[in-house]
Amino acid sequence: MRKCTQQTFFYLMILFLISACSEEPIDESTFGTLTGKVVAKGDNTPLPNVKISSTPVSTTVFTDAEGNFEIGEVQSGEYSIQAELSDFKTAFEAANILEGKTVNIVFELDSLEVNNLVPLTPMLLFPEDGATNIGTQAEFAWSSSQNDDDDINYTLELRNGATNEIETFGDLKDTTLLVDNLAIGKNYFWQVTASDGVNTSVKSPLAGFSTDGGTSNRFLYVRDIAGNNIIFSGGEPVGNDDEELNQNELQLTPSNTNSYRPKKDNTVNKIAFLRSVGAETHIFTINTDGTGLTQVTEAVPVAGFRQEEVEFTWYDNGAKLYYPSFNKLYSINADGSGLEVVYSTAMGVLISEVAVNPANDLVALKTNNLDGYNARIVVVDVDSDSEVEVVSNGQNGGMGGLDYSADGNRLLFTRDVSGVENAEYRQLDSRVFEYNLTDNSTSEIDTIKESGTNDLDPKYAPDDGAIIFVNTSNDGISEKRIYRTVDNNSNNIRKEPLFTDAFMPDWE
């Protein structure tokens, strides 16, 4: 009987253990709920459409119009909850999800603008507000707007006050901008906008300036820009350093044309010059401010040995012009009428340069062969078709730069004293000479020329008290500079730089 009782107890214990195990299943997951709210830090404004996600990954939701969110059936465990919204810093909060419990968290998002400094207001430095006599090329400058680590992009707006045309220069990284081709004698207004890509852009105050009308500039010259010769006018330098040269520069001809050899006549207040027209070269005139373009020659172009070596001249108080075309010298009225041949040389003898003076009707000519050599400088009377005087003849090497003094008694010219003649017409030692027609003497003018350089294109000052000329290395490719030599008849000779990267000067 006792044995039976023990067996019955054993079986009951087994059934109890089996029953207990069936009521507590192994590895079954439990879940809780996550709720929360997202607001802007500082003013607690609810933020809608905030993306809420978690690590480890669970369901991704977005906040409603009140900034609230809820994620149900989140498996129990520890999570990192992330809140993302454009223009705000992404935030993270920890959450421990418990079985059957609701866990609530609050996000306070920092606005990117709150922790990002607004760019400083740019201050316009040059041209100053109210500035006058600004050249046709100006370097605009303004103060930096950087106020933190953000990169600043600038936009410059430039408005022509006469036409209201606005030029916009955008995506500027620097605080300077070189602008050329400004209209002569016009009012302009400009403003700079700074942006860091985060905050609202800031604008500078508006400033205005006016460009020079060009009436005070007595120098004319040429500069090579991107393969085209461009004519400029300029004023007196304020010193000898490079930054003190090129004063009051005004661009008179556009950058898309090849224009050179400017010559002004003060009587008619016009500038004549040569311009390439297709394969030909013609004479044009403009006003001193670059306006009033007129083509003078048309039927017979300007032509000779190397177009850059050919020169023409005004005469008859600006009513007419002389110009060469191969072996013929033409006269033409300034309005393009009255074309006629006034002098000619033998075939193969080209007229390259011509100069006149207001004291008499005699004309100085430089002739040369097809290679530019066998050069002669003569004074002729076109009315009688005769040579009056031979200035230079039989010299080897290149010659040029013909100019008359105001009294008609002296002639300037250059000669390569090296005597070298080559297919490239390269000169090695070109110097300035003066011929005195009263005593038929020739003398070299001391220009303090350095060895290995050439002096070219000399011209008398309006009062004959100085000369202006170009000096450049004889390598043929280095920079050309315009200088003035004064006191050239005394022992106190000075050489003053006027313009850099410039050639073909005229001084009236």
Side-chain angles (χ1 to χ4, degrees):
M1 186 68 175
R2 183 178 178 183
K3 183 178 180 180
C4 181
T5 301
Q6 290 177 341
Q7 289 178 343
T8 300
F9 177 79
F10 178 74
Y11 288 132
L12 288 174
M13 287 294 295
I14 292 174
L15 289 174
F16 174 79
L17 291 173
I18 293 175
S19 176
C21 290
S22 65
E23 288 178 2
E24 295 182 10
I26 300 174
D27 293 331
E28 184 175 348
S29 297
T30 61
F31 298 90
T33 300
L34 175 67
T35 63
K37 189 178 186 69
V38 183
V39 297
K41 188 174 182 178
D43 58 9
N44 292 325
T45 302
L47 297 176
N49 297 316
V50 180
K51 180 181 177 181
I52 306 298
S53 57
S54 67
T55 302
V57 177
S58 64
T59 303
T60 297
V61 298
F62 292 85
T63 59
D64 60 19
E66 299 301 321
N68 298 314
F69 67 89
E70 180 176 331
I71 304 177
E73 296 296 313
V74 180
Q75 188 172 351
S76 300
E78 294 183 354
Y79 290 85
S80 174
I81 311 301
Q82 176 176 308
E84 295 178 85
L85 182 63
S86 178
D87 297 330
F88 287 83
K89 281 188 175 182
T90 300
F92 299 87
E93 292 287 344
N96 185 18
I97 305 300
L98 302 175
E99 177 185 2
K101 303 293 184 178
T102 297
V103 177
N104 185 267
I105 58 177
V106 176
F107 286 97
E108 292 183 301
L109 299 190
D110 279 334
S111 170
L112 290 176
E113 294 187 2
V114 170
N115 294 316
N116 190 284
L117 299 175
V118 175
L120 299 173
T121 300
M123 303 304 295
L124 306 185
L125 304 178
F126 184 86
E128 296 180 0
D129 189 27
T132 59
N133 298 326
I134 300 299
T136 57
Q137 184 183 73
E139 185 170 46
F140 290 77
W142 56 93
S143 64
S144 172
S145 296
Q146 194 165 24
N147 206 20
D148 51 25
D149 293 334
D150 292 332
D151 293 329
I152 306 295
N153 284 339
Y154 300 98
T155 300
L156 187 150
E157 290 186 327
L158 180 64
R159 178 168 64 87
N160 185 322
T163 64
N164 282 324
E165 179 183 0
I166 297 177
E167 286 188 273
T168 301
F169 305 90
D171 198 26
L172 306 176
K173 308 298 183 184
D174 202 356
T175 57
T176 61
L177 175 68
L178 184 66
V179 178
D180 57 13
N181 293 327
L182 297 175
I184 294 174
K186 302 298 181 184
N187 293 322
Y188 280 91
F189 301 92
W190 67 298
Q191 188 172 42
V192 172
T193 301
S195 173
D196 64 359
V198 178
N199 297 283
T200 302
S201 299
V202 293
K203 292 181 178 291
S204 72
L206 190 68
F209 64 92
S210 62
T211 53
D212 192 280
T215 56
S216 62
N217 288 344
R218 300 187 66 180
F219 299 100
L220 296 172
Y221 50 92
V222 174
R223 183 169 287 142
D224 185 329
I225 300 177
N228 276 333
N229 291 316
I230 314 300
I231 297 173
F232 289 81
S233 71
E236 286 281 349
V238 296
N240 292 329
D241 295 334
D242 282 6
E243 61 269 18
E244 298 173 316
L245 309 180
N246 305 330
Q247 291 298 305
N248 198 31
E249 284 196 332
L250 297 176
Q251 183 174 332
L252 300 178
T253 59
S255 301
N256 61 353
T257 63
N258 187 47
S259 306
Y260 55 102
R261 287 286 174 206
K263 292 184 179 295
K264 184 185 177 188
D265 186 275
N266 285 332
T267 304
V268 294
N269 205 31
K270 293 277 188 179
I271 299 169
F273 62 94
L274 300 181
R275 172 172 288 179
S276 300
V277 181
E280 297 182 337
T281 301
H282 287 280
I283 298 176
F284 288 75
T285 61
I286 53 175
N287 299 322
T288 57
D289 64 358
T291 63
L293 179 68
T294 300
Q295 183 171 344
V296 178
T297 61
E298 186 172 359
V300 179
V302 180
F305 164 73
R306 294 201 175 195
Q307 295 300 85
E308 66 272 18
E309 300 292 333
V310 175
E311 290 208 37
F312 65 97
T313 188
W314 292 96
Y315 80 102
D316 194 14
N317 293 318
K320 300 179 180 181
L321 297 115
Y322 283 134
Y323 74 95
S325 187
F326 298 112
N327 70 319
K328 292 181 172 60
L329 180 68
Y330 285 86
S331 171
I332 191 171
N333 294 329
D335 63 2
S337 65
L339 179 67
E340 61 175 328
V341 178
V342 295
Y343 190 81
S344 61
T345 61
M347 293 298 295
V349 177
L350 306 180
I351 300 173
S352 293
E353 299 186 33
V354 54
V356 298
N357 67 87
N360 55 56
D361 295 329
L362 298 181
V363 179
L365 299 176
K366 191 206 86 170
T367 64
N368 49 259
N369 61 20
L370 296 176
D371 296 321
Y373 298 115
N374 193 23
R376 299 178 76 237
I377 296 177
V378 296
V379 177
V380 302
D381 185 342
V382 296
D383 292 333
S384 63
D385 196 28
S386 61
E387 289 187 3
V388 175
E389 190 158 358
V390 177
V391 175
S392 182
N393 185 31
Q395 300 280 355
N396 291 336
M399 296 177 64
L402 204 58
D403 191 46
Y404 252 121
S405 63
D407 60 10
N409 291 328
R410 291 168 294 153
L411 274 171
L412 277 181
F413 65 96
T414 61
R415 181 169 65 85
D416 181 7
V417 299
S418 75
V420 169
E421 297 184 355
N422 50 72
E424 294 78 25
Y425 196 67
R426 179 182 173 184
Q427 301 185 55
L428 300 183
D429 192 5
S430 178
R431 303 183 183 186
V432 179
F433 292 86
E434 183 178 63
Y435 182 83
N436 192 318
L437 284 85
T438 60
D439 60 12
N440 307 117
S441 63
T442 300
S443 59
E444 182 180 343
I445 293 180
D446 186 2
T447 60
I448 321 177
K449 189 179 79 69
E450 296 179 358
S451 177
T453 67
N454 287 322
D455 286 342
L456 305 167
D457 287 332
K459 296 289 184 293
Y460 284 109
D463 60 2
D464 286 349
I467 67 167
I468 186 174
F469 62 97
V470 173
N471 180 262
T472 184
S473 168
N474 64 18
D475 63 11
I477 58 175
S478 295
E479 179 198 13
K480 299 178 176 70
R481 290 197 172 202
I482 297 175
Y483 291 86
R484 170 172 52 199
T485 296
V486 297
D487 295 332
N488 51 39
N489 290 321
S490 70
N491 294 323
N492 184 26
I493 299 170
R494 301 196 315 275
K495 177 181 177 181
E496 302 171 343
L498 300 175
F499 301 98
T500 63
D501 190 22
F503 50 97
M504 297 185 185
D506 187 60
W507 186 10
E508 301 296 336

